[in-house]
Amino acid sequence: MSAPAVPGLEAAFEVEARLGALEDHGVTRAGHRRVVPIVGGRVTGLFSAEILPGGADWQLVRADGAIEIDTRYSARVAGGGHVYIRTSGVRSGDPSVLEALLRGEPVDPSEYYFRLGVRLETAEPGLSALEQSIFVASAIREADRVRYTAYRVT
């Protein structure tokens, strides 16, 4: 009996999502809730698209200080069609590093952990293969944007 293939990673696309001002919703029954609006940006690589305003990152700051990431946003491709992008993941690190990121200070990405699972959905026939793959990403948080490279799991 043969063993399953060991998954690999191939670079697929880059995302630069511009962010609005953080909305602090306070401590709810789920934890410390924050919402960060996504106000624009772009996708390049396997497909090219403009990120539309109106999405957000619905964050939950856990008791251990790690931040659960839950984003949902749309991007428009050149022909006018849309790609719905959803990520889930975690950003964690030393509390002083996470506080510096929250203040918008530059922090070397090696100082914290920021990884995402990326799901794509589209009605565009030429992009249907996007829905048939799993993507993971390594992300960087900057003062007014998040950048990540998404990798297709082979």
Side-chain angles (χ1 to χ4, degrees):
M1 183 170 189
S2 55
V6 175
L9 298 176
E10 60 185 29
F13 55 91
E14 304 268 337
V15 171
E16 179 183 315
R18 291 192 322 273
L19 307 174
L22 180 143
E23 303 165 6
D24 191 330
H25 289 222
V27 178
T28 71
R29 70 177 185 276
H32 187 167
R33 177 68 64 187
R34 302 188 310 207
V35 178
V36 181
I38 297 173
V39 299
R42 63 188 167 157
V43 181
T44 57
L46 192 57
F47 69 102
S48 295
E50 172 192 2
I51 296 173
L52 303 173
D57 179 3
W58 288 268
Q59 298 180 349
L60 189 64
V61 182
R62 301 186 321 213
D64 66 0
I67 302 153
E68 293 183 10
I69 303 297
D70 176 13
T71 70
R72 288 165 256 166
Y73 52 101
S74 295
R76 184 173 39 235
V77 297
H82 294 89
V83 177
Y84 172 68
I85 303 170
R86 182 163 189 181
T87 72
S88 61
V90 66
R91 186 168 64 237
S92 60
D94 184 272
S96 64
V97 169
L98 297 177
E99 289 167 12
L101 286 171
L102 185 60
R103 291 189 300 269
E105 296 173 10
V107 176
D108 187 312
S110 68
E111 298 281 326
Y112 57 96
Y113 181 88
F114 190 2
R115 302 294 185 268
L116 304 167
V118 183
R119 295 178 57 192
L120 304 173
E121 184 179 324
T122 185
E124 286 295 297
L127 298 176
S128 63
L130 296 174
E131 297 182 317
Q132 299 171 6
S133 293
I134 293 175
F135 299 92
V136 294
S138 180
I140 297 171
R141 176 66 157 98
E142 296 175 340
D144 62 351
R145 66 185 175 157
V146 166
R147 294 185 297 121
Y148 64 82
T149 300
Y151 298 86
R152 181 179 167 272
V153 179
T154 62

